[in-house]
Amino acid sequence: MQYPARHLIALSLLLAFVPTLSTVWAAGIQPAWHNRDSHHPRGDGYVLPFLKRLRDSAIELFFGPPHGDREKPLWMDAADVHARYRDDVVIRFNVTNPQEETALSGAALQMLLDVWAFTPDYVDVRISKRYLPGLLKLLPKTLQHTVLINDVASAALATFPSKSAPMSTFNSAGVQAKTKMLVDGADNIFFSDYQPLIVITNWMRLLQTLFPSFTNVTSIGKSYEGRHIWAFRVGEPNPDEKGPRKTILITGGLHGREWISTSTVNYLLWSLVTSFGKDQMITKLLQRFDVVFVPVLNPDGYEYTWQEDRLWRKSRQETSMRYCRGLDLDHAFGYEWESTQHQTDPCSESYGGEEPFQSIEASDIADWAKNQTENGVKFIGFLDLHSYSQQILFPYAYSCAVDPPNLENLEELAVGLAKAIRLSSGESYTVASACEGALARSYSASNSYPRVESGGGSAIDWFYHELKVRYSYQVKLRDTGSYGFLLPKENIVPTGEEMLSALKYFGDYLLGNNGIENFPAERVLGSDSEAEWKDLKRRRR
């Protein structure tokens, strides 16, 4: 029996792709039915996207392309972005007294506002122009406001890669040809754009392949929709070292839309891996400590920001309200979950669930971390990267009425991190307790004034209190409001560089040098040093 030529071509194509299937499975990119459980609601008919594309390609060779059917792009197109955000603006409110914050908090609850930032100086809110007059009617006339971003749609579109971006660079076909570009200089192609989840996964695998002796990629759990949560461990253990292995954990992407947090974790990962053996301080750090990077703790939310809604914040987990999906991971951890007014409306952007650790992703990393401590790991540092507002925040987030036992040390190191950033880039990061809301005053769990956003269930509180991580911080990266969550891609490398300076200071401090080794003496002990440090080491405003 003879087959048409196109049949033979299709067969050859399938055979040529067979070797790649083992690579897909080795990377852990498996269909949900491979490890089905209660929170991975896939049916038995689920087909892995890669295999679906392969199957469809073969079918097209036999029967021709289907009419009107196109492969789904890796990110939103311009029309979808403009349709979703065309009327949106970002407004800044300068809150000056408790009554104003109470009114703003009530309006946020009533209108389900998307609160972008709340600091001791301002509260930023995204809202449609159509609803802005209604919001202003709910607020005191004394509450001043300004427009930060007048065209959210254009700002959102600018954060996606251009259509000509070489997205295949980090897929299997082009990986070897671009290896030198990956590891050679801060201007390598990976950091020229924000990257989709599949590209980040392949990139981490490539780094592990290039530096196998002191790196390891592992899954710490699966998201609600069945995606792996990847962790990249860097460190060179000393065989003569005794006692628990000290570890620093650095996370990003708890909130899907905060792309700069994910890119910055990746930048730190890449910097440590490629500097080992070349940079004295980093080499010493990785010989004494393991550093574990989790760039995308909320992979479902991150993927959703690329495909459907650039400004999606929460996970994609189902809630009790059918049309309001997702949990806020930074209000989902178990420590003091109920000690402040937590959000009970599933439609709210800060909804943490009906009970502690209802979030699959928060539960995954907590279980993984506890398992690590039971197997000889001692977490000594935790940096949880977010955006935006350029702040370095330390525990506790849930209340200002209780101070952490090592408050002085937390403040001292936070001030050092802020100074390291300012010396490297000139950017100012403020230092404060994470409990502070929109006003510079003390809050308590029973305070009668509503917060714009409560702080219960925070990741930094849980790691600090439950796992005894002595130095636990939430770092809110660039900027201070000009772009907010829509930070242009030109900021990826500069933000990574300033956080690398902070990480070096952090590591040097943990090595017992109090940050001195990382900076020349004249830069630390200059004539204006005392006044400078007094200014930086301020208490709560």
Side-chain angles (χ1 to χ4, degrees), residues 15-178:
L15 291 176
F17 272 90
V18 165
T20 67
L21 299 182
S22 60
T23 303
V24 172
W25 284 86
I29 309 172
Q30 301 162 351
W33 44 258
H34 178 70
N35 187 15
R36 193 186 314 121
D37 54 42
S38 60
H39 61 269
H40 299 148
R42 300 273 197 183
D44 286 340
Y46 174 75
V47 180
L48 185 67
F50 174 83
L51 298 180
K52 181 178 183 297
R53 291 196 296 270
L54 181 61
R55 178 200 65 193
D56 292 347
S57 298
I59 291 173
E60 286 184 25
L61 283 174
F62 277 88
F63 304 105
H67 296 292
D69 189 25
R70 294 183 304 168
E71 185 178 343
K72 191 174 183 180
L74 284 174
W75 57 81
M76 299 174 68
D77 62 29
D80 290 340
V81 172
H82 281 289
R84 182 177 285 275
Y85 310 117
R86 63 174 174 263
D87 293 325
D88 287 3
V89 294
V90 177
I91 305 295
R92 171 162 293 179
F93 293 95
N94 298 306
V95 182
T96 59
N97 60 62
Q99 289 73 30
E100 289 178 348
E101 186 178 6
T102 298
L104 186 55
S105 175
L109 290 173
Q110 182 176 336
M111 300 182 69
L112 293 175
L113 296 177
D114 182 9
V115 178
W116 275 30
F118 61 103
T119 77
D121 301 314
Y122 55 80
V123 177
D124 296 345
V125 173
R126 176 173 69 102
I127 189 171
S128 171
K129 294 177 183 177
R130 302 192 304 272
Y131 302 129
L132 182 57
L135 170 61
L136 296 178
K137 288 180 181 179
L138 297 175
L139 302 176
K141 295 186 182 299
T142 59
L143 188 53
Q144 299 296 313
H145 71 277
T146 55
V147 178
L148 286 182
I149 304 176
N150 191 48
D151 187 353
V152 170
S154 294
L157 186 61
T159 62
F160 289 96
S162 65
K163 288 186 177 180
S164 61
M167 294 307 300
S168 63
T169 296
F170 298 99
N171 292 334
S172 57
V175 114
Q176 293 302 323
K178 298 297 183 180

Side-chain angles (χ1 to χ4, degrees), residues 137-215:
K137 288 180 181 179
L138 297 175
L139 302 176
K141 295 186 182 299
T142 59
L143 188 53
Q144 299 296 313
H145 71 277
T146 55
V147 178
L148 286 182
I149 304 176
N150 191 48
D151 187 353
V152 170
S154 294
L157 186 61
T159 62
F160 289 96
S162 65
K163 288 186 177 180
S164 61
M167 294 307 300
S168 63
T169 296
F170 298 99
N171 292 334
S172 57
V175 114
Q176 293 302 323
K178 298 297 183 180
T179 295
K180 189 174 187 301
M181 295 180 68
L182 173 70
V183 298
D184 197 18
D187 57 346
N188 74 71
I189 198 169
F190 184 76
F191 297 108
S192 63
D193 277 306
Y194 294 108
Q195 302 293 355
L197 187 63
I198 183 61
V199 178
I200 293 172
T201 301
N202 288 343
W203 176 78
M204 286 195 294
R205 286 290 180 187
L206 172 60
L207 274 183
Q208 182 191 26
T209 301
L210 295 174
F211 303 94
S213 63
F214 62 97
T215 68

